[in-house]
Amino acid sequence: MHHPTDVAGGLVNGSLSLLIVGRALLTEGRVTAPPAGTPAPSPAAGEARRDPGSTAVIFNPTVTDRAGREALRRVLEQHGHHAPVFVETTADDPGGGQTAGAIRDGATLVVVCGGDGTLRAAAEALAGSDVPLALVPCGTGNLLARNLGLPLAPADALDAALRGTARRVDLGRIEGDGLAPAHFAAMAGAGLDAATMRRANANDRAKSLLGWPTYALAVLREMRGPRTGVSIRLDGAPALRRTARMVLVGNVGSVQGGVTLLPAARPDDGRLDLLVLDPSGIAGWLSAVRTLLRPGKAASERHGDEAGVPVEFHTFRRAEFVFDDPQPRELDGDPVDSGRRLTVEVRPGALTMLLPSREK
């Protein structure tokens, strides 16, 4: 005899595994830009060539070795960015101080080479400025890079960015009890999502060996975590009362393996999106998996005014959350102190990024 929760866990485990593997096979490894080393195109008639100016490369030394840095240097040289200054992040300063120093020293381009945490620290320093950021994904999750269509090979990603155009993208601003005001670029969450990040980040060896599947394994271990009550106030409207295993706020919608959790999220629409996940029992978990397997249908089925559904979506500019119990919390994949309160709001167009040109 098997306990019902074991049966539910097995069913969801299998469904999620098939979802993640299938999405990975279909979406990973795509190249959205010419390979690095291809001569940069000449500017179109009437289009002024961008003056490269001073370039600072903020890099995480734990994921960017000497050979990787030299490959980036060559790409920068090919695009006219000569003598770039490479600055290491540290355990005490994951990129914010280095980026702020580069801006003070007159940098006209900041290249960020690291994971989502390094990007978040740099974005914190660049928020509200006109200095563009070129993102080079070198971490495990690389959520923003995946959602923005950047290649996941570092040199190719830099080449694609330098061939692209400057675009404004939104940032989220978050604060709470025990959490000083901070920005995030991709996602922030409380509950199951944050517990998953905490477990995955606690095992550096597994992350180095497995990469992003470490998160899939971690979520399966945390699925039996407790539900909690939460009051949610969106854009000043009357508070919604819900129970939840997880609340996830996103500037983008997809996570590792191409799984879409926030199907309506766009990084430049001046809004943030919210997922409230509250499956209960076998039927609830299967319904949640089914909804997340059909992101297009999920986007049209908002469940915005209905309590008791396993998956609920909202879009907002400002949200306030009050949980009944302290919850684990995370910002762009980095665990932060647990707490009961969160206030989240969008900062439209706060970050300038160099991104591949949109296809017409």
Side-chain angles (χ1 to χ4, degrees):
M1 295 292 291
H2 294 281
H3 195 279
T5 57
D6 294 330
V7 176
L11 289 171
V12 176
N13 185 338
S15 300
L16 286 174
S17 298
L18 290 173
L19 170 62
I20 292 169
V21 172
R23 296 280 184 157
L25 291 174
L26 290 173
T27 64
E28 298 300 322
R30 69 180 185 276
V31 176
T32 58
T38 305
S42 300
E47 180 183 346
R49 182 185 296 274
R50 185 170 54 243
D51 182 5
S54 172
T55 301
V57 182
I58 312 301
F59 71 95
N60 183 338
T62 65
V63 294
T64 311
D65 59 16
R66 181 182 295 274
R69 296 195 296 273
E70 288 306 312
L72 298 181
R73 189 188 303 275
R74 288 193 295 272
V75 174
L76 287 166
E77 290 280 348
Q78 291 164 6
H79 287 270
H81 294 264
H82 303 292
V85 177
F86 284 74
V87 186
E88 292 187 13
T89 65
T90 66
D92 294 330
D93 190 340
Q98 296 87 341
T99 302
I103 296 172
R104 287 195 303 270
D105 291 341
T108 56
L109 171 65
V110 174
V111 178
V112 176
C113 185
D116 291 313
T118 307
L119 169 65
R120 182 173 68 84
E124 186 81 48
L126 286 167
S129 79
D130 292 324
V131 178
L133 180 153
L135 175 58
V136 177
C138 298
T140 304
N142 303 316
L143 289 188
L144 191 63
R146 295 171 188 270
N147 280 271
L148 293 176
L150 285 165
L152 297 183
D156 290 343
L158 179 57
D159 186 61
L162 295 177
R163 291 171 180 274
T165 57
R167 285 166 47 192
R168 291 277 189 175
V169 299
D170 305 332
L171 291 175
R173 184 182 183 277
I174 188 168
E175 60 182 305
D177 53 328
L179 178 62
H183 289 88
F184 63 92
M187 294 180 180
L192 173 63
D193 171 60
T196 297
M197 297 300 175
R198 182 176 58 192
R199 178 179 289 274
N201 289 346
N203 194 338
D204 290 336
R205 179 176 175 80
K207 285 177 64 177
S208 63
L209 290 174
L210 299 178
W212 64 261
T214 305
Y215 297 102
L217 297 175
V219 74
L220 295 175
R221 297 288 297 275
E222 296 289 344
M223 281 172 51
R224 292 186 183 181
R227 303 159 76 194
T228 187
V230 57
S231 294
I232 305 171
R233 186 182 299 275
L234 303 175
D235 295 329
L240 304 173
R241 183 65 185 174
R242 298 290 189 262
T243 57
R245 295 184 186 274
M246 176 180 86
V247 297
L248 181 69
V249 174
N251 189 34
V252 294
S254 297
V255 295
Q256 292 85 353
V259 179
T260 300
L261 296 181
L262 293 164
R266 301 291 181 270
D268 57 358
D269 63 357
R271 293 176 175 268
L272 296 172
D273 283 66
L274 168 65
L275 163 66
V276 181
L277 183 69
D278 188 34
S280 179
I282 296 174
W285 277 108
L286 291 178
S287 176
V289 171
R290 188 164 54 247
T291 299
L292 297 175
L293 276 167
R294 301 178 297 173
K297 186 174 179 60
S300 61
E301 294 178 355
R302 303 302 294 170
H303 300 311
D305 300 315
E306 183 181 357
V309 296
V311 179
E312 184 176 346
F313 299 100
H314 297 273
T315 300
F316 66 90
R317 292 185 175 88
R318 178 183 172 87
E320 301 170 55
F321 304 90
V322 180
F323 299 92
D324 289 356
D325 308 292
Q327 295 296 300
R329 303 179 292 194
E330 61 88 10
L331 305 181
D332 282 337
D334 288 337
V336 295
D337 290 342
S338 297
R340 294 185 55 243
R341 294 178 178 271
L342 286 174
T343 300
V344 189
E345 60 185 339
V346 67
R347 288 198 59 189
L351 183 65
T352 302
M353 297 187 68
L354 294 184
L355 296 174
S357 300
R358 295 186 174 113
E359 295 182 3
K360 297 182 179 179

